[in-house]
Amino acid sequence: MKKFFEILRYLSPYKGRIALNLSFNLLNAAFSVVSFSAIVPFLKILFDSQEDRVSDDPAMGNGMLDKLNHSFEVIIREEGPKEALFVFSLLIVALFLLRNIFRYLAQHQMAFLRNVAVRDIRREIYHKLLVLPMAYYTDERKGQIMARFTNDVSEVEWSVMGALEALFRQPVMILIFLITLLGISWQLTIFVLIVLPVSGFIIGRIGKSLKRTAKKGQNELGEVVTSLEETVGGIRIVKGFTAEKIFARHFNKVNDKHFGLMVRLFRKQYLTSPIGETLSAITIAMILWFGGNLVLEGDVLNGEFFILYVVIFSQMISPARALSESFVRVQRGLSASERIDQVLKADEQILEAPGAKSIKGFKKSIAFKNVTFDYGGEAVLKNINLEVQQGESIALVGPSGGGKSTLVDLMPRFYDVIDGSIEIDGQDIRDFKVYELRGLFGIVSQQSILFNDSIRNNLLIGNEDADEKQLIDALHTANAHGFVISLPEGLDANVGEAGNRLSGGQKQRLSIARAILNDPPVMIFDEATSALDTESERLVQSALDRLMKGRTSFIIAHRLSTVQHVDRIVVIDKGEIVETGSHSELMELGGLYQRLVELQDLS
Ligand code: ADP
């Protein structure tokens, strides 16, 4: 129950609307009771029972009821039965109108409340995802995040918010109805409160047992399907071994088992209505018996109010049922909400030191000093020392899994070093403002990340303020201008989901154009051409060469032919720098690099 109220926290900013909703519910309930009460004067008129009551004015033991009774009688007497009939008919219309107006007003607020909570949860998760550290995003988690965002939020919406409706409305209804019932006859009400829970309990038990059988039925059906799948999948074997009989026997067994279970399930299901109805009839009969006796005894309850009692009582059943169902719903929503909380409460890691320095560019070098790193397990980088001068181009090569991507990910602080430090112009990168530090790096990776939007908007991510000329220039430099203008909508063409309306090479050239617009001092190419065919690779490579000019660049490349002209090649194996030098130096050295080049020449 405590957990449940925790879910209400999503609604805490909207207290005013909750108050409105509750007030309207209260008015709705009050007018419901009053409108039902309007049957009393009709009964009086039709059965003509007012005369004797007024004259001897018996004490019914209840001031309110007496007064109400009395005023009905006065109206009937003064107006005459036919006119009174008309007046009370009008009254009914007015009362029902009011009741429904308040009901709608309450729902008007509820429509807002239940949806705003879902909007806020989605917003909270999304913003959280933007600030979570890179380390949070393991492949396994990515799938989970999607599930949180879709299934779990919907579950919360369906269960909790649906239950909210019941919770804000039904208790108010039940309370008002109950007070009225007590007002009409407390004796009868106490009797009802004893009888009702018993029949409710029995009905609840039947429901539970039904659920269990239904679940078993599901499992059995699974077995039937599996048996079918196995046969179809292994049909060669079945026929080859002439094992049809064995398989048929097995299939018949599971199929019959499922059949038996389903028959039982349906029989149980069919039993619920008769039992439920009989139980209700017994309950009602007991109330009629007890209440009828009260009427006959004369001075506790009169006939009209007894009928009113039964009417209001019958109206109380459906809110009571809705309320109890909503508790079951809430249970399911709670587990979804707990899973959402795991995302919302995940550690954010504060990256920025207080008083962090500003950094717009650098003059001298980026240096790795004794850098060690792991993802929580074995060391991925060991004791890396590497100084890269401003304007220098560096290729990182070596067997895959050696730690090349990890090494470049450390510079924008997607991850932080475990030991050692990375310095820019002699200053530890952890001393800089993270946002500005990241702004120094432009990244083109193997997978070009395009968003489902126009080419123009995808480019503008690189530089929001770029004008048309800059866009066109960037496209030219990236060898992308030709194909973009050949599209009917040109720059405004939509790239499709994840850019899938374009070829791999086209996507990659757009990513490069975006990086050019961003104009960062350092470029990182992580296998930027690996996924391309030779023709696109040539186009992309020449775009890359232009982009690298005058910039510090880190190039991770699988195809060694593409990096022969860089200033320095760094060979990384098993987390360590094993060789450095130019292409010719390394070939001469005759180490790992030379072996890798020869392997690729062969292939
Ligand atoms: P390379 O770029 O040279 O192929 P990586 O830097 O991608 O190498 O990977 C180095 C090692 O770190 C590999 O063993 C890889 O499995 C591991 N690794 C890479 N990324 C992660 C991650 N996010 N979580 C855990 N381990 C990782």
Side-chain angles (χ1 to χ4, degrees), residues 239-447:
K239 286 188 182 293
F241 283 92
T242 56
E244 286 94 340
K245 271 207 191 114
I246 303 175
F247 274 77
R249 213 164 36 230
H250 174 73
F251 180 80
N252 287 340
K253 204 172 113 195
V254 288
N255 199 26
D256 287 348
K257 203 164 152 204
H258 180 244
F259 159 77
L261 209 70
M262 291 313 282
V263 171
R264 262 188 289 151
L265 175 65
F266 272 80
R267 288 194 176 142
K268 247 188 217 173
Q269 208 159 36
Y270 290 141
L271 205 58
T272 42
S273 300
I275 291 185
E277 214 172 296
T278 311
L279 277 174
S280 312
I282 293 174
T283 318
I284 299 263
M286 287 171 88
I287 294 171
L288 289 176
W289 167 77
F290 191 90
N293 268 316
L294 288 179
V295 175
L296 291 180
E297 276 159 25
D299 52 353
V300 192
L301 185 63
N302 75 30
E304 296 90 13
F305 280 98
F306 178 48
I307 293 180
L308 174 63
Y309 188 98
V310 175
V311 169
I312 293 182
F313 174 73
S314 68
Q315 294 296 312
M316 217 171 81
I317 293 174
S318 83
R321 185 174 299 154
L323 189 64
S324 74
E325 276 167 11
S326 72
F327 282 112
V328 180
R329 276 183 164 205
V330 166
Q331 287 307 321
R332 286 182 50 183
L334 279 177
S335 29
S337 132
E338 272 164 27
R339 288 191 295 267
I340 291 176
D341 274 354
Q342 281 170 10
V343 176
L344 291 181
K345 301 208 169 117
D347 205 359
E348 278 173 26
Q349 288 182 12
I350 295 164
L351 289 178
E352 204 156 278
K357 292 200 180 82
S358 178
I359 179 166
K360 300 286 184 230
F362 72 105
K363 293 194 185 66
K364 273 182 56 207
S365 69
I366 303 177
F368 287 73
K369 297 204 162 154
N370 290 317
V371 169
T372 299
F373 180 79
D374 63 62
Y375 287 103
E378 253 179 77
V380 171
L381 293 175
K382 297 167 217 160
N383 230 348
I384 298 286
N385 282 292
L386 177 68
E387 179 153 9
V388 178
Q389 302 303 320
Q390 200 270 332
E392 195 179 11
S393 58
I394 294 284
L396 301 170
V397 304
S400 89
K404 305 180 290 290
S405 303
T406 305
L407 189 133
V408 295
D409 276 352
L410 294 179
M411 293 187 289
R413 291 189 70 199
F414 290 154
Y415 306 95
D416 272 333
V417 299
I418 302 282
D419 208 4
S421 63
I422 299 175
E423 294 174 2
I424 295 183
D425 288 348
Q427 180 94 41
D428 194 311
I429 55 172
R430 284 169 289 197
D431 297 337
F432 295 121
K433 292 193 168 122
V434 179
Y435 235 71
E436 293 184 2
L437 173 75
R438 289 188 179 159
L440 298 183
F441 301 92
I443 300 170
V444 179
S445 55
Q446 180 171 7
Q447 274 198 324

